[in-house]
């Protein structure tokens, strides 16, 4: 018997499985456990003809539960499997494994404590894996939990965070773990979990080192690894893409020198659809299509032409046999680099052209540009409705529609960024922008910049001060924010702010509901109270401030970081310049 982890794509249910292969198993009582803990009991498998494929003799329900979790999470780790040898008695083997697993408390933190004691007593990982019928990888993962902060381990034991979140937290430094716990405790912040946590830890899209086409030994960028020692990721996506795209070009050049007619590198994120292409060997002019995903994976599809090109060849419109190229690949590289240098030098003296080129890149993207749209994810429907109905969003929507019309985009496109659907991509949009006056291009740039400006960032704080923004004209207090204020001290300070200190003192012992109603009456001028115009919570103003001495106000903390990093004179100049620009 051999214990190993096998990719789920290499597994299928054996016809001899006692539960059969046609009937869908009931996963009611097993799926929650697999979601939370993964597959703990190894499946019993045997090779299925090919050395890379296996059929499941026992463990059909675990397999189907893993499939369900893989669909929910866009993938799942390889499954622990016991590979039968010739002559194994499957029933006896499964009974033995179940008995071994039964010795363990199902709580993984208890297993961690048990394994840690065994290691201290001199047992190796291999000894523990054999004793308990687990793979070495499972034992290493359990032992690695000891590197997490005690509170995170306690949360995991109490099932308040799931196994995937814990797995990704092992990528975090102690400082990041503390930051994540602070977000978890903050009612106004969101602590990322699951797959989103990995992206948060990596500063954006998490790109596995397994996707690298280049030699990792020569990579000078930073790499982060989880404590299980099996997964690692690029800390800086930009550094990765610079080296990865160079490797793609190098591989493409090798294909060209090998005699392929062409190597088509698709835009990042574009799909290669088989129904839009036909097989065509290299000798008859077949091409290589290169697919690059946003996660860094690169796939080379050899020997294809588009269906459209195939029809033209059938009509004799395109020669089926590729001709000998006039110049070699090194000469082409020489030409490309010198022309590239000449264009860059010329752009220096043509800022108007460079502006339009930058805007086109930001809208369409390119192999070297990746732009993300801020999705403004709200914590609940009330917040989403409040933002969507705000005066600011109305201004943005009107301007966006005008820009969409000016660029001849679909008027129902939700964003200008990624909104171009023309046949000729970046060049076509650039030529269109060249026909527009500078004022119109700046309007496009302002919308695109707004769509790609990160919410909850330090740049929001700095821009708000620089632009001299007054929130009052574009915001009005609503229940979405008032109902979220639950802190008694904060509510009391707000009552004092809108109704006066005497009213606040007289109602200090009243419930939050009563005090919120006082605030509503003051803002609306109802209930016999004087109407207060232009009130804005301190947290929302530019620059922001807090109602108490306690920490936990994100806008204030971000502004404090900016204020401590730049001298007061620089910030004052920025504020004055913003006020002048706004007045103009």
């Amino acid at each position: 018997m051999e214990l190993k982890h096998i990719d789920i794509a290499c597994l299928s249910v054996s016809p001899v499985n006692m539960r059969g292969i046609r009937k869908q198993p009931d996963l009611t009582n097993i799926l929650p456990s697999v979601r939370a803990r993964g597959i703990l009991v190894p499946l019993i498998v045997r090779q299925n003809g090919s050395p890379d494929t296996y059929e499941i003799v026992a463990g059909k329900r675990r397999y189907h539960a893993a499939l369900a979790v893989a669909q929910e999470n866009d993938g799942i780790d390889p499954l622990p499997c016991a590979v039968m040898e010739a002559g194994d008695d499957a029933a006896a083997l499964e009974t033995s494994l179940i008995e071994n697993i039964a010795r363990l408390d199902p709580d993984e933190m208890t297993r961690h404590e048990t394994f840690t004691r065994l290691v201290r007593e001199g047992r190796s990982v291999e000894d523990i894996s054999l004793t308990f019928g687990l793979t070495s990888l499972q034992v290493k993962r359990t032992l690695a939990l000891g590197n997490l902060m005690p509170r995170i381990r306690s949360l995991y034991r109490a099932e308040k965070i799931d196994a995937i979140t814990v797995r990704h937290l092992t990528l975090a430094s102690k400082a990041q773990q503390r930051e994540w716990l602070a977000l978890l405790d903050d009612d106004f912040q969101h602590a990322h979990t699951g797959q989103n946590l990995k992206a948060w830890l990596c500063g954006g899209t998490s790109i596995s080192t397994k996707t690298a086409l280049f030699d990792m030994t020569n990579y000078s960028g930073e790499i982060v690894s989880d404590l299980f020692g099996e997964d690692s990721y690029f800390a800086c996506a930009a550094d990765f893409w610079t080296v990865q795209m160079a490797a793609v070009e190098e591989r493409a050049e090798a294909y060209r020198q090998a005699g392929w007619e062409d190597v088509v590198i698709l835009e990042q994120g574009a799909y290669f659809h088989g129904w839009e292409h036909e097989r065509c060997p290299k000798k008859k002019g077949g091409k290589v299509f290169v697919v690059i995903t946003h996660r860094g994976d690169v796939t080379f599809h050899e020997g294809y032409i588009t269906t459209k090109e195939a029809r033209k060849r059938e009509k004799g419109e395109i020669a089926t046999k590729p001709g000998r190229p006039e110049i070699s690949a090194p000469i082409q590289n020489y030409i490309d680099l010198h022309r590239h240098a000449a264009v860059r030098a010329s752009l220096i003296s043509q800022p108007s052209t460079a502006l339009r080129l930058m805007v086109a890149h930001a809208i369409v993207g390119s192999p070297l540009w990746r732009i993300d749209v801020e999705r403004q994810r709200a914590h609940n429907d009330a917040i989403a409705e409040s933002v969507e109905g705000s005066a600011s969003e109305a201004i943005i929507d009107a301007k966006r529609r005008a820009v969409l019309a000016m660029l001849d985009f679909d008027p129902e496109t939700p964003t200008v960024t990624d909104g171009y659907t023309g046949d000729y991509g970046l060049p076509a949009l650039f030529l269109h922008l060249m026909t527009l006056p500078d004022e119109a291009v700046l309007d496009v740039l302002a919308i695109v910049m707004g769509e790609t400006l990160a919410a909850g960032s330090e740049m929001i704080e700095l821009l708000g001060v620089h632009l001299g923004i007054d929130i009052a004209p574009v915001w009005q207090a609503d229940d979405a924010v008032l109902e979220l204020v639950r802190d008694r001290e904060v509510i009391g300070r707000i009552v004092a702010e809108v109704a006066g200190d005497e009213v606040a003192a007289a109602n200090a012992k009243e419930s939050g509901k009563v005090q919120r109603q006082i605030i509503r009456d003051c803002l609306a001028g109802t209930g016999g109270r004087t109407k207060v115009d232009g009130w804005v919570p301190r947290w929302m103003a530019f620059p922001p401030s807090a109602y108490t001495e306690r920490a936990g106000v994100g806008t204030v903390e971000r502004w404090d970081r900016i204020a401590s990093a730049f001298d007061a004179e620089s910030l004052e100049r920025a504020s004055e310049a913003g006020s002048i620009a706004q007045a103009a």
Side-chain angles (χ1 to χ4, degrees), residues 15-95:
V16 302
N17 187 285
M18 62 177 292
R19 299 183 183 273
I21 61 174
R22 295 183 180 179
K23 185 178 179 180
Q24 181 69 23
D26 180 10
L27 306 178
T28 305
N29 64 341
I30 189 175
L31 190 54
S33 173
V34 174
R35 284 196 184 105
R37 304 296 188 194
I39 300 296
L40 297 180
V41 181
L43 287 69
I44 301 175
V45 303
R46 63 185 183 186
Q47 283 191 348
N48 185 20
S50 168
D52 297 325
T53 60
Y54 300 83
E55 60 181 18
I56 300 167
V57 175
K60 175 184 175 181
R61 293 177 69 239
R62 279 164 274 161
Y63 168 69
H64 279 279
L67 283 176
V69 173
Q71 291 177 348
E72 293 170 358
N73 297 328
D74 192 25
I76 192 171
D77 293 335
L79 307 183
C81 297
V83 182
M84 293 175 56
E85 299 176 358
D88 268 359
D89 185 330
L93 180 56
E94 185 173 39
T95 301

Side-chain angles (χ1 to χ4, degrees), residues 119 123-130 135-137 139-140 143:
V119 169
R123 298 285 294 278
S124 68
V125 170
E126 290 71 21
D127 292 336
I128 297 172
S129 66
L130 289 174
T135 65
S136 296
L137 179 57
V139 176
K140 289 177 181 177
L143 289 170

Side-chain angles (χ1 to χ4, degrees), residues 309-379:
E309 186 176 354
R311 299 292 82 80
K312 287 185 177 181
R313 291 187 178 189
E314 289 175 358
K315 296 177 182 178
E317 297 179 16
I318 300 178
T320 57
K321 185 177 181 180
R324 180 183 178 185
E326 180 177 331
I327 58 177
S328 65
I331 296 177
Q332 185 64 63
N333 176 251
Y334 176 93
I335 294 169
D336 289 341
L337 293 181
H338 272 287
R339 287 161 60 85
H340 179 252
V343 169
R344 288 198 302 176
S346 182
L347 271 176
I348 293 174
S349 61
Q350 298 289 330
S352 179
T353 300
L355 169 65
R356 287 158 173 79
L357 186 60
M358 183 184 72
V359 172
H361 274 74
I363 293 174
V364 179
S366 80
L368 299 180
W369 280 61
R370 180 179 177 273
I371 306 296
D372 290 328
V373 175
E374 170 57 64
R375 300 300 178 186
Q376 291 190 312
R377 295 178 176 86
H379 282 229

Side-chain angles (χ1 to χ4, degrees), residues 470-473 475 497-498 523 533-542 547:
D470 181 6
I471 289 289
W475 176 84
E497 201 168 57
V498 299
L523 297 178
D533 293 318
W535 174 77
V536 173
R538 297 179 188 178
W539 322 299
M540 293 182 64
F542 289 104
Y547 286 98

Side-chain angles (χ1 to χ4, degrees), residues 382 475-486 491 494-500 503 511-535:
W475 176 84
Q476 189 171 10
D478 53 27
D479 284 343
V481 65
L482 294 179
E483 288 296 330
L484 290 171
V485 181
R486 299 290 178 178
I491 291 178
I494 294 176
V495 171
E497 201 168 57
V498 299
V503 175
S511 66
K513 181 178 180 180
V514 170
Q515 295 190 63
R516 276 192 289 274
Q517 188 57 49
I518 294 173
I519 297 171
R520 291 189 185 95
D521 288 339
C522 289
L523 297 178
T526 57
R529 299 191 183 277
T530 304
K531 189 175 187 297
V532 176
D533 293 318
W535 174 77

